[in-house]
Amino acid sequence: MNDNDGHRARPSRVAGTAGGGPFPLLRRGDRVAVVATGFAILPELLTAGTARLRALGLEPVVAPHVRAVRGYLAGSDDERAADLNAAIRDP
């Protein structure tokens, strides 16, 4: 299996995540934060998205307020900001 540069891809690499260098950005088993910083997400899209991440070998970590709905937004400004800040701070 070759990447776009013709280099041999490492088997632990997640497809489509190479940053152009020799090391992939994501590896199988990596945790990936799922946050909604704007619009509320449809439950079926969240389910499909997290299933796709798992199929790629990643571990989705769904933020507490992803399923929140406030009007057309995914929770209040404070809730969305808290989810994003928690995701950024999580190593």
Side-chain angles (χ1 to χ4, degrees):
M1 181 162 107
N2 292 328
D3 62 16
N4 292 339
D5 297 328
H7 295 98
R8 187 88 176 130
R10 295 179 3 188
S12 64
R13 189 172 121 204
V14 175
T17 58
F23 302 104
L25 299 176
L26 296 172
R27 297 180 188 278
R28 294 187 191 287
D30 281 353
R31 295 167 22 115
V32 176
V34 178
V35 298
T37 59
F39 295 109
I41 187 167
L42 296 172
E44 59 270 20
L45 294 179
L46 178 61
T47 299
T50 55
R52 179 68 178 137
L53 290 170
R54 284 188 193 96
L56 290 170
L58 300 170
E59 179 187 338
V61 179
V62 179
H65 301 103
V66 164
R67 294 175 185 88
V69 177
R70 186 170 187 168
Y72 61 88
L73 297 173
S76 69
D77 291 346
D78 289 340
E79 290 170 332
R80 289 180 283 120
D83 284 354
L84 180 60
N85 283 319
I88 291 169
R89 290 186 176 111
D90 184 354

